[in-house]
Amino acid sequence: MNTENIQQPFIKIFPGDLSNNPMQRNTPKVLFSTIKPAGFDHPKLVAFNEQLSEEIGMGKFEEKDLDFLVGNHLPENINSYSTAYAGHQFGNWAGQLGDGRAIIAGEITDASGKKSEIQWKGAGATPYSRHADGRAVLRSSVREYLMSEAMFHLGIPTTRALSLALTGEDVVRDMMYNGNPQYEKGAVIIRTAESFLRFGHFELMSAQREYKTLQELADYTIKNYFKEITSEGVQKYKDFFENVSRKTADLMVEWYRVGFVHGVMNTDNMSILGLTIDYGPYSMMDEYNLNFTPNTTDLPGRRYAFGKQGQIAQWNLWQLANALHPLIKDEKFLEDILNDFGSYFWETHDRMLCKKFGFDQLLTQDEKFFTGWQELMQDLQFDYTLFFNQLEKFNDLKDLKNQFENVSYTFLDDEKISKLENFITTYHSRLEKNIVSKEKSAEIMRTANPKFILRNYLLYQCIEEVQEGRMAMFDKLTHALENPYEEIYPEFSVKRPSKYDNTSGCSTLSCSS
Ligand code: AMP
Ligand code: MG
C-alpha cells in the first residue's frame, strides 16, 4: 500500500495540542491532539477492500501492510491525531466530545485530485476517550464495515471502509448495559471519507468563542469540499450554511428511500459534507413503521425514530446555525434557510416517493395518496423493501392475498385484503397519469427500490460466523451489497424470520460498541 503519500494539511493549518499525551482531558482552543495508536501484538486481517484501496490511490495490500491497518506501523513523516469536537446529544448540549477512538493518519489524493482522509477506529485511547478504552469490538466493526459499503453501493453519501482486522486483544463490553459484561474480540477498521468534519467541530469552536479558528475552519471546509461556492465575505458563509442544509436534506431523503434508521443523530454524528457517518445502533427497517428506533437508549423518547429523521436533521441544522452565527450575523437569513429546509425536504422526499412508485412526476394529489399508503403500510405491517419489490412484480388483482402475504408481518384477513385492493386500484389509476411508457416507469421503480438491503438479522448471523473465524456469510453479504438493485441471492430477499423478532442485536441494539 502507498502509505508514503499520506499528507497532513489539517494539522499544519489549525491549532492543536502536539504533546502526544493520551491522558483524557479538555483541550480548549484546539481542533486536534496528536496521538499514537496503541499498537497490537497479534493482529489478524479479516477483510480488505481492494476496490476502494485502488480507487483512493492506496494501491494493493501486501502481508506487511497489516501493521499499518491496525496502526502499528506509521510512515515516518506521519504525526497521527484525533480531532476535538463538541455536540448536542439527545437534545442537550454535551460540551467537548471529540474522536474517542478514532485516530487520523492524514489524507491521500487520487489521480484525479480527489482527497480521502484515512482514519483508524478502535486503535486506542485518545484525549477524547472520556473514561472509555478507545477500542472497538469485532461485532460493531463488522456492522460498520459492511453497512457503510452497503450504503455506498446503494448510491448514498457515506464514509467508507477500507479494512477490518482483529487486534488479538479481548475487550470487555456490557452489550445491553444490563450488568452482564463479557469479553469480546477487539477489532480495528480503517475508514475513509473526503472529510470526517462534523457539525460538532464548528459547535466546539463557536462555544469557546474561538471565532478566528471558526472562520478558518469554515474557509478550509469551503475551499476543499464546497468548490461550488465562489462568493466572498459574509455571503460565502451564508452559501455554506445553505449548501450544508441542502446536502443534509438530500441525505435524509436518501435514508428514507431505502429505510435506513441511523439511531443516534446527535450533532457530533452529523457530517458537514452530508455523509452518513458513525454506524452504531443503526438499522435498515424491516416492517414499515414511522416510530421504529433501533437504539435501546432512544426507546423512551424515540427522538431518532425513522419518521423523525427529517425533523431532527433540521433541529441539528439549527444548532449549526447558532454555531455559524458569529460569521453570518444575520438571524433572519438563518431562520429563512431553516424554514426552507422543511419545504425543500418534503418536496425532495415526495419526488423520491414518486420514483419508488414509478411515477414520472409529482402531482398535487400525490400527498394524499402517500398519506393513504403510509397508513396502509402500518396497518398491514408490510415490509418496506419487499412491498415495493412486490408492487413491481405484481400483475393480478384477483390473487392479492397470495402475492402479498409473504411481504407482511401480520395475517392478511379479508378486511385487510380489501384495503389493499382499494389501494392498488387507486395506484393503478394514478399510474395512468404517467406520460412515460410502462417500460420507462418500471425502470424508474427498479432504480429507486433496492432488491437487497443489509438487514440486522443478516448481520447478526454474519457476526456469529465471523466470531468463529468463518467468512462465507461475510463474503456472500459483500457480494449482495455490492449489487443491491439485483436479486443475486433469493434467500436474502425475504422478510425477517420471526425467531429474530426480539433478539437483541436484531430488532434493538445498544450503543455499546
Ligand atoms: P456516539 O454519539 O455514540 O457516536 O459517541 C459519542 C462519543 O463517545 C464519541 O466521541 C465517541 O468517539 C466516544 N466513544 C464511543 N465509544 C468509545 C470507546 N470505546 N472508547 C472511547 N470513546 C468512545
Ligand atoms: Mg459518534
Side-chain angles (χ1 to χ4, degrees):
M1 291 171 72
N2 305 325
T3 54
E4 306 307 316
N5 298 335
I6 295 174
Q7 309 277 318
Q8 301 188 297
F10 192 84
I11 64 171
K12 299 207 170 83
I13 295 171
F14 293 108
D17 178 328
L18 303 170
S19 64
N20 276 321
N21 177 0
M23 197 182 73
Q24 290 155 32
R25 61 194 186 277
N26 274 324
T27 58
K29 300 176 194 277
V30 305
L31 274 171
F32 70 90
S33 292
T34 54
I35 190 78
K36 299 273 177 251
F40 302 99
D41 290 338
H42 304 289
K44 192 168 164 247
L45 186 67
V46 179
F48 184 78
N49 192 340
E50 237 168 80
Q51 189 206 338
L52 175 64
S53 188
E54 292 289 356
E55 201 181 301
I56 62 174
M58 290 286 280
K60 294 224 174 331
F61 172 79
E62 293 167 54
E63 213 47 52
K64 65 173 170 51
D65 295 321
L66 178 57
D67 272 332
F68 174 74
L69 298 188
V70 293
N72 284 352
H73 165 77
L74 273 58
E76 245 164 53
N77 56 330
I78 283 193
N79 221 352
S80 54
Y81 60 99
S82 291
T83 66
Y85 52 81
H88 282 80
Q89 301 192 312
F90 293 91
N92 302 306
W93 175 241
Q96 176 189 291
L97 297 164
D99 294 322
R101 52 180 170 163
I103 301 178
I104 299 182
E107 67 177 39
I108 184 152
T109 310
D110 73 7
S112 74
K114 188 160 185 266
K115 295 177 168 123
S116 300
E117 285 187 340
I118 313 283
Q119 175 175 95
W120 294 281
K121 185 166 175 182
T126 79
Y128 312 111
S129 293
R130 298 187 302 158
H131 310 298
D133 56 9
R135 268 51 171 186
V137 296
L138 181 60
R139 166 174 54 87
S140 63
S141 304
V142 168
R143 283 175 55 82
E144 170 143 9
Y145 184 102
L146 289 177
M147 194 66 220
S148 63
E149 285 303 298
M151 291 294 259
F152 172 76
H153 291 285
L154 282 164
I156 301 177
T158 178
T159 63
R160 296 195 64 187
L162 181 69
S163 62
L164 165 60
L166 285 162
T167 58
E169 196 188 76
D170 282 344
V171 177
V172 183
R173 287 287 183 277
D174 185 356
M175 189 172 103
M176 293 317 289
Y177 301 128
N178 60 1
N180 277 320
Q182 288 184 346
Y183 281 104
E184 295 192 48
K185 288 188 165 86
V188 172
I189 65 167
I190 288 190
R191 55 182 191 178
T192 73
E194 200 180 357
S195 166
F196 287 101
L197 285 172
R198 302 149 190 264
F199 288 14
H201 287 100
F202 295 85
E203 289 182 273
L204 180 70
M205 287 301 108
S206 196
Q208 296 181 355
R209 299 176 185 272
E210 292 297 312
Y211 299 144
K212 185 168 163 282
T213 309
L214 176 70
Q215 182 164 7
E216 284 164 359
L217 183 63
D219 289 342
Y220 176 87
T221 309
I222 295 164
K223 182 168 154 243
N224 285 294
Y225 315 116
F226 290 81
K227 299 225 155 68
E228 61 276 29
I229 298 179
T230 51
S231 47
E232 289 294 334
V234 172
Q235 189 58 40
K236 179 165 86 164
Y237 307 117
K238 287 185 170 176
D239 290 346
F240 173 52
F241 182 63
E242 191 169 353
N243 258 272
V244 176
S245 299
R246 286 283 155 103
K247 286 191 176 175
T248 305
D250 290 341
L251 181 68
M252 293 306 112
V253 171
E254 280 294 89
W255 288 1
Y256 280 113
R257 178 171 67 84
V258 299
F260 178 79
V261 195
H262 184 283
V264 212
M265 284 180 65
N266 293 331
T267 56
D268 53 298
N269 290 338
M270 297 293 290
S271 149
I272 201 78
L273 304 190
L275 309 174
T276 315
I277 192 170
D278 278 8
Y279 291 83
Y282 68 80
S283 179
M284 295 302 286
M285 193 169 55
D286 297 322
E287 58 267 55
Y288 185 87
N289 178 0
L290 292 168
N291 267 325
F292 171 63
T293 180
N295 183 356
T296 48
T297 313
D298 189 37
L299 281 174
R302 294 184 185 272
R303 179 179 171 86
Y304 298 140
F306 179 65
K308 291 223 195 103
Q309 295 185 122
Q311 201 184 316
I312 290 293
Q314 187 182 32
W315 191 91
N316 288 341
L317 282 161
W318 194 281
Q319 309 317 313
L320 181 66
N322 285 337
L324 295 178
H325 183 261
L327 307 182
I328 295 173
K329 294 191 187 94
D330 181 343
E331 294 82 20
K332 166 93 174 60
F333 170 83
L334 290 169
E335 270 171 30
D336 286 349
I337 296 292
L338 287 163
N339 289 332
D340 287 350
F341 177 94
S343 43
Y344 175 80
F345 166 77
W346 281 114
E347 195 185 326
T348 316
H349 177 273
D350 287 355
R351 285 187 195 287
M352 173 279 288
L353 271 188
C354 278
K355 292 199 180 113
K356 285 183 81 74
F357 283 104
F359 304 156
D360 58 0
Q361 59 192 310
L362 177 64
L363 304 179
T364 34
Q365 73 202 61
D366 288 342
E367 207 178 308
K368 197 164 153 242
F369 173 77
F370 293 148
T371 314
W373 162 75
Q374 280 185 330
E375 278 164 20
L376 179 90
M377 290 299 282
Q378 305 207 106
D379 187 9
L380 274 63
Q381 292 182 37
F382 280 129
D383 185 281
Y384 184 46
T385 304
L386 297 177
F387 174 82
F388 282 102
N389 295 161
Q390 191 54 42
L391 208 58
E392 242 181 283
K393 282 191 260 179
F394 164 83
N395 47 31
D396 191 354
L397 207 57
K398 283 198 214 84
D399 208 11
L400 276 182
K401 190 172 162 73
N402 255 335
Q403 296 182 71
F404 281 88
E405 70 185 353
N406 286 335
V407 307
S408 160
Y409 291 87
T410 188
F411 176 70
L412 299 182
D413 59 19
D414 290 348
E415 196 196 325
K416 288 192 166 38
I417 289 295
S418 119
K419 281 186 186 164
L420 179 59
E421 194 171 341
N422 283 343
F423 170 78
I424 300 267
T425 311
T426 317
Y427 172 50
H428 281 169
S429 59
R430 169 62 184 84
L431 263 183
E432 306 273 291
K433 301 213 164 60
N434 265 2
I435 297 161
V436 298
S437 66
K438 282 214 163 77
E439 291 70 34
K440 178 74 192 152
S441 162
E443 193 193 316
I444 296 175
M445 273 183 107
R446 260 198 309 279
T447 51
N449 295 302
K451 297 264 181 337
F452 172 80
I453 55 159
L454 191 55
R455 295 173 192 268
N456 266 352
Y457 86 88
L458 293 172
L459 278 161
Y460 181 86
Q461 292 175 347
C462 173
I463 290 163
E464 296 224 306
E465 289 194 11
V466 177
Q467 307 264 27
E468 293 163 5
R470 288 181 288 136
M471 291 300 288
M473 178 87 173
F474 186 100
D475 294 341
K476 205 168 152 185
L477 286 179
T478 302
H479 189 208
L481 66 83
E482 284 173 354
N483 305 279
Y485 298 98
E486 289 166 47
E487 190 180 284
I488 295 186
Y489 301 107
E491 67 269 36
F492 289 159
S493 295
V494 295
K495 62 184 180 187
R496 182 192 63 238
S498 56
K499 69 170 176 175
Y500 294 108
D501 285 357
N502 297 310
T503 311
S504 60
C506 291
S507 51
T508 51
L509 297 125
S510 73
C511 285
S512 159
S513 55

